[in-house]
Amino acid sequence: MQLAAGVIGQVLTGLALAQTGLSLEQVRALPPLPAVYAEEPSLDARLLWLQQRLASPLDAAERYRSLRLLFNEYYDAHRLSDAATVCQQHPPLPDDMLFRAHCLLAAASKPEEQLPQLLALVSEARSRGNRSMAASLLKDIAWLQSQLGDIGGAFENLEAALAEAPTDDVALLTDLMMDTATSYIVNGDEGYIRKGIALLSSNRERLERALGDAPIGIDKTVLRENIQLTEFNRGIAYALHLSEYANALQHFDRVLTEPNPYVEDALAFAALAAAELHQYERARAYLARAAREASSNSGPVVQQYLSCYRQLATRHWHPAQGVNACLNLHRDTATEVQLDIYKRLSQIDDQAIAMAGLKGLKTLFIEKLEPQLRRRGSTAASNAELRRLQRESDLKSIVLQQQAALQSERDATNAQRQNYFIALSLLLLSVVLLIALSWRSKKTLAEQFERLSLVDTLTQLGNRRYLEQHINRELAHLARARRRNADAALGVYLFDVDHFKSVNDRFGHGVGDEVLVELARRIQAVTRDTDLLVRWGGEEFLLVARLDGEAHGRQVATRILQAINDTPFVLSTGDPLPVTCTIGALCLPFVAGSDSDLWTELVGLADLALYEGKRTGRNRCVMLQNRGLTTNDAVKQALQMPLQASVGAGLLGLSSSADASG
């Protein structure tokens, strides 16, 4: 159902006349819409409700909100021409940057034309101090770049978005982590696919912590759905990109434990995975449930390829099953899905179907993959062309200077030549001095930048990059120390402030920063110069300490707890604030000969121990011990399991100690 053009024109004209002096704050201050709008079951019903509302007398703020909702309904339903019409007839308010960005994306222009406009919006968002919006826009830019085949540029902007996003914007950080993991999985080799899976695992842990700490008023349904999305995406990575179907089923089954938007998709892929493992009864059960719980939440593109996967699953035990849903996939089907389906068709023992799969692969290459490769080459060629033109300009300048010098020599007298050479010598000396000064200045700036890039600006501790540059030194020192003392170890302590969000909520972020600075000072006071203490991110800190043995490791944890808990923190207002922390720790060597290859995973295990400490009461240290992990893969698998499951299986042990002074 579409709003009649005449009605839209009247509504927008009325809005333009009534909108003088309207601000976005006025729109945000409006009371919630009647519940009947959100409860409308279909797009047509919601559009009709908005039409009727816009036809009634409304003030400027309410009319603007209603038109914005009309745009969102069209945009979310992929009716982009209708959405763009709303934008063209009524441009968004200048400070409504999200609406402005979506209007750009809804326009019929090509992505190459949208990118410069989105980049301009990023600059504007930064100038307004709106870091969340800048990060969100960079995420959209990265998505467009990946569609154009500029994978390198997409990763650069995802990295920039992660650096820009505020640490307390959990929803945005979750989206960014999800997009980064997806890019790893879709565009990377096996190593990056597994990095993407590990990143999704970390994201799930972060979301579960957020769910446990979520204050009243936060929509926990969204957090739960995002947790299920991480499980679904991990299942897709294992099923479509690694062909590890048993691992895929573990994650799909977790998706199916509760209602969420991904159940229908998970059932289709789970049926395929079970069929690939020859677990036909299990596959039939998934398909039967899919038939019972069929929904129309997904668009026709998704419905078609889900039907295809169900047919491919059935074909494992019923070779006569047709695959008609697979033979004419919509051109908007995701590239990774098209590639997977056509490869599966090409391997079927039926000449006609196999040929259809090969033709599909050929068409996919010609229409999508080859243009993407060319665009990647064009991007590199454009950079080379810019460098070539600059070099050509430099050469022309040199030739012109040489011609001028020769002409001066022919026309000048001996005295003039002498003066010329004197002047030229002075000029060259000045240039050399200027170049030397400029080089020295640039070198100083580069050194300062390098130092700043390794230092957290708030606490003046090293940051994550600083640790990554120095951890191999500590691992090498541990190897040497153990030749002298078999009990020598390296303690890894990941800790953060308990209930830090409530500190920010009650006193403001300025007080939160004071707490972090004082915490850093106290920990520095009880650690040695040889220890590596860094700010890991947000309120999290990481300490790597050289130990004489396991007992020494527990003493270090006790010192950290006492340094923070013994004396309340004194705020700039003069008020005392009791502060506690929770520590997750382990000692290296953890797995013989593999610690340097497993550094990221070992920090992940420390993070699991930290979360266990939060779960069991906070203000304590939970230290992990290796009980049965002998290989790198075993550690990675344990990282994906709940900690209590690993402990129950005898793979990990843990000991917990609370600070008595707390």
Side-chain angles (χ1 to χ4, degrees):
M1 180 181 298
Q2 298 185 13
L3 190 62
V7 175
I8 287 184
Q10 294 171 11
V11 168
L12 293 174
T13 301
L15 179 60
L17 293 173
Q19 196 178 299
T20 305
L22 181 63
S23 71
L24 188 59
E25 290 304 317
Q26 292 174 273
V27 179
R28 288 174 175 164
L30 291 171
L33 283 170
V36 64
Y37 168 68
E39 293 170 358
E40 290 289 2
S42 68
L43 172 64
D44 286 346
R46 293 192 299 275
L47 288 175
L48 178 60
W49 189 90
L50 288 170
Q51 290 175 24
Q52 294 171 344
R53 186 173 184 81
L54 286 165
S56 63
L58 298 171
D59 62 25
E62 188 59 72
R63 194 170 293 279
Y64 183 87
R65 176 171 71 169
S66 298
L67 275 166
R68 199 173 188 269
L69 287 171
L70 180 66
F71 169 87
N72 288 339
E73 293 290 358
Y74 285 139
Y75 187 81
D76 292 341
H78 301 288
R79 290 169 56 171
L80 299 184
S81 60
D82 292 325
T85 298
V86 177
C87 298
Q88 291 163 4
Q89 297 188 13
H90 174 65
L93 292 169
D95 53 346
D96 195 352
M97 302 193 70
L98 181 63
F99 193 2
R100 290 168 60 189
H102 285 174
C103 282
L104 281 176
L105 294 172
S109 58
K110 298 178 180 178
E112 295 90 335
E113 299 169 359
Q114 294 172 343
L115 284 173
Q117 299 176 71
L118 288 173
L119 285 169
L121 273 182
V122 171
S123 298
E124 185 178 339
R126 284 170 170 162
S127 68
R128 292 174 181 267
N130 193 340
R131 294 178 59 196
S132 290
M133 179 54 63
S136 181
L137 290 168
L138 286 166
K139 178 172 72 73
D140 289 338
I141 289 170
W143 182 85
L144 282 175
Q145 287 176 309
S146 67
Q147 299 303 301
L148 292 170
D150 184 8
I151 306 304
F155 276 121
E156 287 179 5
N157 280 306
L158 281 173
E159 182 180 355
L162 286 167
E164 192 79 43
T167 55
D168 58 352
D169 195 336
V170 176
L172 177 58
L173 285 171
T174 298
D175 286 346
L176 287 170
M177 292 294 186
M178 204 79 73
D179 282 4
T180 303
T182 300
S183 294
Y184 281 167
I185 291 167
V186 173
N187 299 307
D189 57 13
E190 181 179 346
Y192 270 96
I193 292 171
R194 296 194 185 278
K195 284 180 184 289
I197 293 171
L199 187 56
L200 289 171
S201 175
S202 300
N203 215 25
R204 180 193 169 101
E205 298 292 338
R206 185 180 295 103
L207 287 165
E208 287 178 334
R209 288 198 294 269
L211 184 62
D213 297 336
I216 297 174
I218 295 297
D219 190 349
K220 293 187 176 182
T221 300
V222 174
L223 292 174
R224 292 190 184 96
E225 287 183 359
N226 281 330
I227 289 173
Q228 295 298 340
L229 179 57
T230 63
E231 291 298 334
F232 177 73
N233 284 342
R234 280 198 280 178
I236 290 296
Y238 281 121
L240 267 60
H241 297 276
L242 295 175
S243 298
E244 296 180 9
Y245 298 109
N247 288 332
L249 281 175
Q250 292 181 16
H251 297 290
F252 290 139
D253 282 341
R254 291 173 189 168
V255 177
L256 301 174
T257 57
E258 60 185 50
N260 62 77
Y262 314 107
V263 167
E264 183 179 15
D265 300 54
L267 285 168
F269 287 109
L272 177 71
E276 290 285 354
L277 294 170
H278 305 293
Q279 298 177 13
Y280 298 144
E281 289 303 319
R282 187 176 182 182
R284 291 189 186 96
Y286 289 130
L287 292 175
R289 180 177 171 184
R292 291 194 305 272
E293 301 180 11
S295 69
S296 58
N297 292 334
S298 303
V301 175
V302 176
Q303 287 293 337
Q304 183 186 23
Y305 71 69
L306 290 181
S307 177
C308 167
Y309 277 115
R310 290 192 290 267
Q311 290 175 353
L312 289 173
T314 304
R315 193 175 175 85
H316 279 76
W317 63 84
H318 183 47
Q321 169 66 50
V323 290
N324 56 299
C326 308
L327 299 179
N328 294 294
L329 294 176
H330 194 281
R331 65 189 313 274
D332 291 338
T333 303
T335 301
E336 63 172 331
V337 173
Q338 289 191 60
L339 189 59
D340 179 72
I341 288 175
Y342 290 140
K343 285 168 61 178
R344 293 180 189 277
L345 292 178
S346 68
Q347 295 166 2
I348 289 178
D349 189 17
D350 181 302
Q351 186 174 359
I353 295 176
M355 184 58 67
L358 291 173
K359 288 182 178 179
L361 288 172
K362 176 183 176 183
T363 301
L364 182 63
F365 176 78
I366 293 173
E367 293 185 356
K368 283 193 175 181
L369 301 181
E370 185 179 29
Q372 285 187 2
L373 291 172
R374 290 185 182 277
R375 280 194 291 268
R376 294 184 196 183
S378 296
T379 300
S382 296
N383 294 333
E385 177 66 7
L386 288 174
R387 290 192 293 271
R388 185 193 68 78
L389 291 173
Q390 182 61 48
R391 183 60 176 163
E392 186 177 279
S393 176
D394 293 341
L395 291 173
K396 288 180 179 178
S397 298
I398 293 172
V399 171
L400 290 173
Q401 290 171 5
Q402 290 174 341
Q403 290 175 344
L406 289 172
Q407 188 63 38
S408 297
E409 278 189 42
R410 295 189 190 100
D411 298 339
T413 62
N414 291 335
Q416 288 172 327
R417 284 198 197 99
Q418 185 177 8
N419 291 336
Y420 170 77
F421 283 119
I422 292 172
L424 182 61
S425 298
L426 291 174
L427 177 62
L428 289 174
L429 179 61
S430 299
V431 170
V432 169
L433 288 174
L434 286 173
I435 291 174
L437 290 172
S438 175
W439 177 84
R440 183 177 179 182
S441 174
K442 289 180 179 179
K443 182 173 181 292
T444 302
L445 287 173
E447 291 172 348
Q448 292 174 348
F449 178 78
E450 176 67 16
R451 185 182 67 82
L452 289 173
S453 69
L454 299 174
V455 175
D456 174 59
T457 55
L458 177 65
T459 63
Q460 297 303 303
L461 296 177
N463 57 20
R464 187 180 296 220
R465 184 178 173 210
Y466 177 85
L467 181 68
E468 289 171 349
Q469 288 193 4
H470 290 80
I471 188 60
N472 285 331
R473 181 197 69 190
E474 293 304 304
L475 294 172
H477 177 272
L478 174 63
R480 294 194 299 272
R482 287 181 66 82
R483 287 196 286 269
R484 300 189 301 272
N485 174 13
D487 293 329
L490 202 62
V492 179
Y493 304 86
L494 185 64
F495 55 97
D496 69 5
V497 179
D498 293 331
H499 303 296
F500 184 70
K501 186 178 184 303
S502 66
V503 174
N504 281 334
D505 292 343
R506 289 173 56 199
F507 304 104
H509 290 278
V511 169
D513 289 347
E514 288 183 40
V515 169
L516 296 179
V517 171
E518 174 63 12
L519 183 144
R521 186 194 66 76
R522 292 190 182 192
I523 301 303
Q524 282 182 300
V526 298
T527 53
R528 300 167 299 186
D529 292 339
T530 55
D531 296 336
L532 287 177
L533 174 63
V534 301
R535 185 180 180 189
W536 195 241
E539 70 270 26
E540 287 190 335
F541 295 79
L542 186 70
L543 173 68
V544 178
R546 299 175 181 178
L547 307 175
D548 298 330
E550 186 175 347
H552 187 191
R554 289 190 290 272
Q555 293 170 7
V556 170
T558 300
R559 285 205 304 270
I560 294 173
L561 292 171
Q562 291 176 345
I564 295 172
N565 300 346
D566 278 356
T567 308
F569 285 34
V570 179
L571 307 179
S572 57
T573 60
D575 299 322
L577 177 67
V579 175
T580 63
C581 80
T582 303
I583 308 171
L586 52 82
C587 290
L588 279 60
F590 198 77
V591 177
S594 298
D595 288 344
S596 61
D597 298 328
L598 286 173
W599 171 246
T600 301
E601 287 77 9
L602 294 176
V603 174
L605 288 177
D607 190 44
L608 291 180
L610 170 61
Y611 180 61
E612 177 68 11
K614 297 284 188 182
R615 190 185 67 82
T616 55
R618 296 182 168 85
N619 189 18
R620 65 193 60 230
C621 174
V622 173
M623 182 166 286
L624 290 183
Q625 295 89 31
N626 187 352
R627 295 284 188 251
L629 302 176
T630 58
T631 66
N632 293 7
D633 288 340
V635 173
K636 293 175 182 177
Q637 290 175 4
L639 188 60
Q640 298 183 31
M641 298 168 58
L643 182 57
Q644 291 299 328
S646 297
V647 173
L651 301 176
L652 292 172
L654 59 84
S655 58
S656 177
S657 61
D659 176 37
S661 67

